[in-house]
Amino acid sequence: MPLTTATASAGSPDSAPPPVTAVSEPDGVHTWTTTAPRADLSAAAGPYTCFAGHSQDIGWPAQYKCSYDGTWAQAGVIGQHKQLEAVQLYSGSTGGQTCGQAHLRDIGWVPANGYLCVSDGAVAGFGTVGENRPIEAFRFFHRTRQTCSQAHLLVYGPVDDYVCPHANTVITVGTVGEAKALEALTGTIL
């Protein structure tokens, strides 16, 4: 089934995900890149990252959830028992690249050949829509800055505390091989 997203609305730091413009996986597994909406994050004192998550039976949210000035970006919904099926992320004011990779049930890590990395202002997307295929784990890192992330598993809740390794160190949150879907993902770039 083809991937669809909501139309972007410009002018808000928490605007809706933009339409997909390029799918990079030839085997039907979805990863994509596109341009982020024009967001006014002038209040952000430093780097920021924004997430949007496609949740089962809910779809894409009306707005991105962004991290800046001590807040956390979030993809998915907590407490509604809906599996996270796709994630979009973008960053700004980082001066580098943000990278990710998702582990999809019955498929494995996508992209299969490594990480999808995008520069400030570009969106990286991972997952499927309409296939009832949850994301079970997610990898997220920045090439030159420290990143932090935490997974919320469907039914089980948060997995451990926030993971905040050194810059250019891959964070893996969630589970692999346990058939436990992510409900939500939170993160930030420091």
Side-chain angles (χ1 to χ4, degrees):
M1 176 171 251
L3 186 97
T4 59
T5 63
T7 303
S9 58
S12 167
D14 297 316
S15 56
V20 172
T21 57
V23 175
S24 60
E25 291 290 318
D27 59 2
V29 175
H30 299 289
T31 60
W32 62 91
T33 59
T34 187
T35 304
R38 299 278 181 212
D40 179 14
L41 287 170
S42 57
Y48 61 88
T49 191
C50 300
F51 289 161
H54 187 280
S55 297
Q56 169 192 9
D57 300 327
I58 295 174
W60 292 106
Q63 300 178 333
Y64 274 101
K65 294 183 180 174
C66 300
S67 70
Y68 50 95
D69 293 337
T71 61
W72 293 82
Q74 180 180 316
V77 293
I78 296 173
Q80 294 187 28
H81 303 289
K82 302 294 182 182
Q83 66 191 17
L84 184 62
E85 297 175 334
V87 171
Q88 290 189 5
L89 70 90
Y90 77 93
S91 319
S93 300
T94 69
Q97 289 189 315
T98 304
C99 305
Q101 188 178 37
H103 189 276
L104 305 180
R105 182 170 293 161
D106 300 325
I107 292 177
W109 290 106
V110 296
N113 60 351
Y115 302 102
L116 178 58
C117 298
V118 292
S119 298
D120 287 349
V123 174
F126 311 87
T128 62
V129 172
E131 295 182 20
N132 194 28
R133 185 181 310 280
I135 295 175
E136 297 178 328
F138 195 75
R139 292 179 173 157
F140 167 62
F141 70 99
H142 191 274
R143 296 236 184 244
T144 60
R145 293 185 172 273
Q146 184 179 18
T147 54
C148 299
S149 190
Q150 182 184 43
H152 290 256
L153 295 179
L154 186 67
V155 178
Y156 300 95
V159 179
D160 300 319
D161 290 326
Y162 284 96
V163 179
C164 298
H166 299 288
N168 200 28
T169 303
V170 177
I171 301 169
T172 302
V173 295
T175 63
V176 174
E178 296 182 30
K180 295 178 180 174
L182 287 185
E183 179 178 46
L185 169 71
T186 56
T188 193
I189 296 176
L190 304 174

